Amino acid sequence: MKEGLVKRISRIISASANALVDSVENATPQLVMEQAIREIDDAIAEVRDQLGKAEAAKYLSSRTLNDENTRHASLAEQIEVAVDQGRDDLAEAAIAKQMDIEAQIPVLEKAIADTDGEIKELNAYISALQGKKREMREQLREFVRATEHEANGATGGQGGSSRATADKVEQATGAFNRIMEGAGVPTAESSADATKLAELEELSRNNRIKERLAKIKSRTEA
């Protein structure tokens, strides 16, 4: 989620009706509270938009993971056939493809897990905002009732009611001050070192391919 939206939600959740009214000069308290409720609705809409994107991303990653697992299983069958036919070249090519798939699977699994966590967090934000909206609406109703009571000249018990309302408002806490952060620090390498490391990786990869082929052949012969 965008950092700006997270801060905005945190501010909405932690704000009190009294503070909102006091912060706006020359404005009717009722209008201030109504505007605050509209802002909550806007924030909920933005979070729902982010939720939809997260759910779509999870679906795509899950589908890709299933496809890659299916391809890996299919390649395993093809490797067995190639070994039976004495086509080590084909078996090695299939093994190389399997290894590429195996390198991608953990990344896809992590992406799905991360998106799952984001979806849960976004749903929590929506629930919190909806709760804040209900609270703000109740405060607005109490303010309207108090205003009508005062207009009718019955102000005797208003102090206690207003204090009770203020106490309720001040119970709102900034429970969502966490800001999602991600950092990646690449390792600096010289051009020569990078070339050598790439060559070493290729040698190691070829060795792993041959080792896997040898294991498959030993199982087939057994």
Side-chain angles (χ1 to χ4, degrees):
M1 187 190 296
K2 296 179 181 178
E3 182 175 327
L5 181 56
V6 175
K7 289 183 177 179
R8 180 181 170 196
I9 293 172
S10 298
R11 175 178 56 77
I12 291 173
I13 296 299
S14 60
S16 70
N18 287 352
L20 288 173
V21 172
D22 292 342
S23 66
V24 182
E25 296 181 359
N26 302 320
T28 304
Q30 183 173 345
L31 293 179
V32 174
M33 287 190 234
E34 288 173 351
Q35 177 58 38
I37 291 172
R38 285 193 293 272
E39 185 178 1
I40 293 174
D41 284 332
D42 290 343
I44 289 175
E46 286 189 51
V47 177
R48 286 194 186 282
D49 181 63
Q50 293 293 320
L51 178 61
K53 292 177 181 178
E55 289 175 338
K58 179 185 176 182
Y59 170 76
L60 291 175
S61 294
S62 298
R63 188 176 68 179
T64 301
L65 178 61
N66 288 334
D67 290 345
E68 292 302 300
N69 281 325
T70 300
R71 288 178 61 201
H72 191 280
S74 178
L75 285 167
E77 295 176 0
Q78 294 172 13
I79 291 169
E80 298 288 349
V81 173
V83 170
D84 288 341
Q85 298 295 322
R87 293 297 304 272
D88 287 4
D89 58 327
L90 297 180
E92 288 184 0
I95 290 172
K97 190 60 182 175
Q98 273 191 327
M99 291 172 66
D100 287 339
I101 292 172
E102 289 164 6
Q104 296 174 45
I105 286 177
V107 177
L108 290 169
E109 290 175 338
K110 185 178 186 306
I112 293 171
D114 289 346
T115 308
D116 248 340
E118 183 182 0
I119 289 172
K120 291 178 182 178
E121 189 167 19
L122 289 168
N123 279 317
Y125 279 125
I126 291 173
S127 296
L129 286 168
Q130 289 172 335
K132 188 66 177 181
K133 180 179 177 180
R134 287 189 293 269
E135 178 186 299
M136 194 68 74
R137 278 179 170 172
E138 178 58 29
Q139 291 158 6
L140 177 57
R141 283 193 292 268
E142 290 189 22
F143 173 79
V144 171
R145 284 196 296 268
T147 302
E148 291 174 350
H149 191 61
E150 182 177 358
N152 292 331
T155 59
Q158 185 179 352
S161 176
S162 297
R163 183 66 261 169
T165 302
D167 289 342
K168 183 188 296 184
V169 172
E170 292 305 321
Q171 290 175 1
T173 61
F176 297 100
N177 289 327
R178 292 172 297 157
I179 298 173
M180 293 187 294
E181 294 179 325
V185 181
T187 301
E189 296 175 349
S190 67
S191 177
D193 288 341
T195 300
K196 291 179 181 178
L197 288 174
E199 183 179 358
L200 180 60
E201 173 61 25
E202 184 64 21
L203 288 172
S204 177
R205 173 183 168 80
N206 290 336
N207 187 56
R208 294 199 304 272
I209 290 173
K210 293 185 181 298
E211 286 179 350
R212 184 177 295 191
L213 175 59
K215 289 180 180 178
I216 293 172
K217 293 177 73 173
S218 66
R219 289 202 306 269
T220 302
E221 292 171 356

